Amino acid sequence: MPANTFPRSVRKTHTPALALLLLLGLAEAAPAQALVPPLAGTAAGHPRSATARPAGQEPEPQETAPQEPEPQRECTTGTGPRQREVEGYLGLPVDGTQSPQDCAAIRDFQEREGVLPADGLASPTTYRALYARWAAGHPEQLLADGHCPPERGRVACLDLTHQVMWLLKGRKVVVQAVPLRSGAPGYETRTGRFSIQRRVRDDYSSLYHQPMPFSQYFSGGQALHGTRKNIYSPPGSHGCVNLRHDDAERLWNWMRVGDTVRIWGSKPPA
């Protein structure tokens, strides 16, 4: 009998059963992985990349090529005017003749201390910087210096020949030797025995337009004061005694109006 001749009621009765059979067949034909939920952090239907990191894990450090050390530049400066003294202070063989090893050692010291130019030459400035370092470690030698005998109170001792100063209290060095920068040619720092006349913590030179922290005036407009400039830079000050900022502050904390200042010697050429 043709299909379209079945009664309508019979076709309605078999429709739900046929639909169920079709659904069961599709489920069996689907691959098993379709029933597994996607991994966390991936979109459904898109597998996670093999290089993806689990959440919260730090990335692995990337290896970088090792940096090649900078080649040591050759030091070729010749023998300097203070060769023997500089060799002695640096603990080098004292023969008065520059060698590549001498040059490299001198240049390293100049770079550390800010001596300009840092070229390895045994210059007068390099010698004075080494002398200041030596004097800081030998206070007993400073006490024996006849230019600055101990007094009852505090005495600031300024050696212009070596461009160094220290502070005595009685027979004790209370501020160790530090480098100074005195007046340039034509603006020489006065020598003799003086006393602190006035003190200005944050002064300013209206004449030379320069800050003068921790100023302690000892002779008219000449004062001990701090500077941010290189203490070894030529040619010198306009007559004042420049000290590194921290050294000037240390001296300020020790000294008072009326304290003695003794200055001797003369500034050598750079």
Side-chain angles (χ1 to χ4, degrees):
M1 182 180 294
N4 58 5
T5 61
F6 281 100
R8 185 177 301 274
S9 59
V10 175
R11 290 199 300 269
K12 289 182 178 181
T13 302
H14 290 80
T15 299
L18 291 173
L20 179 60
L21 289 173
L22 288 172
L23 289 172
L24 290 174
L26 290 172
E28 292 176 0
Q33 67 181 16
L35 300 178
V36 180
L39 293 173
T42 62
H46 295 280
R48 184 175 61 176
S49 168
T51 59
R53 300 187 302 273
Q57 181 174 320
E58 293 294 328
E60 295 183 1
Q62 298 294 321
E63 293 186 4
T64 57
Q67 296 289 332
E68 292 291 335
E70 293 185 6
Q72 181 68 33
R73 65 189 188 279
E74 188 177 3
C75 194
T76 58
T77 307
T79 299
R82 305 307 294 263
Q83 189 72 34
R84 284 185 174 274
E85 295 96 326
V86 169
E87 288 171 346
Y89 279 128
L90 288 177
L92 301 169
V94 180
D95 56 13
T97 303
Q98 180 84 306
S99 69
Q101 293 75 23
D102 293 343
C103 187
I106 295 169
R107 183 182 60 194
D108 288 346
F109 171 78
Q110 291 168 334
E111 290 176 345
R112 289 195 306 270
E113 291 295 313
V115 176
L116 301 174
D119 56 3
L121 179 69
S123 64
T125 303
T126 303
Y127 163 72
R128 292 196 297 272
L130 282 163
Y131 180 87
R133 188 181 71 169
W134 171 86
H138 294 81
E140 70 284 355
Q141 299 291 332
L142 303 180
L143 286 170
D145 193 319
H147 293 96
C148 196
E151 297 184 13
R152 182 183 297 272
R154 290 172 291 266
V155 184
C157 306
L158 283 70
D159 178 354
L160 300 189
T161 301
H162 292 99
Q163 295 286 285
V164 66
M165 75 147 295
W166 61 93
L167 182 68
L168 296 177
K169 183 179 181 182
R171 296 194 58 82
K172 183 178 180 181
V173 177
V174 292
V175 175
Q176 67 180 13
V178 296
L180 63 82
R181 180 174 178 261
S182 62
Y187 299 92
E188 285 80 5
T189 301
R190 303 180 189 103
T191 58
R193 186 182 186 277
F194 308 93
S195 61
I196 298 298
Q197 301 165 353
R198 62 189 180 95
R199 303 185 344 137
V200 184
R201 185 182 183 90
D202 294 303
D203 209 355
Y204 186 85
S205 171
S206 57
L207 181 60
Y208 299 113
H209 308 289
Q210 295 290 333
M212 298 171 58
F214 308 111
S215 289
Q216 303 190 78
Y217 291 88
F218 60 85
S219 177
Q222 293 192 353
L224 308 164
H225 69 79
T227 181
R228 297 288 188 183
K229 294 181 178 179
N230 188 314
I231 201 70
Y232 298 113
S233 61
S237 72
H238 289 98
C240 287
V241 176
N242 295 164
L243 302 168
R244 287 170 173 161
H245 188 274
D246 290 349
D247 294 337
E249 183 177 13
R250 189 176 302 111
L251 194 66
W252 171 274
N253 291 335
W254 271 99
M255 298 191 75
R256 299 291 183 269
V257 170
D259 286 349
T260 300
V261 179
R262 287 186 178 270
I263 306 176
W264 70 94
S266 58
K267 182 173 183 153

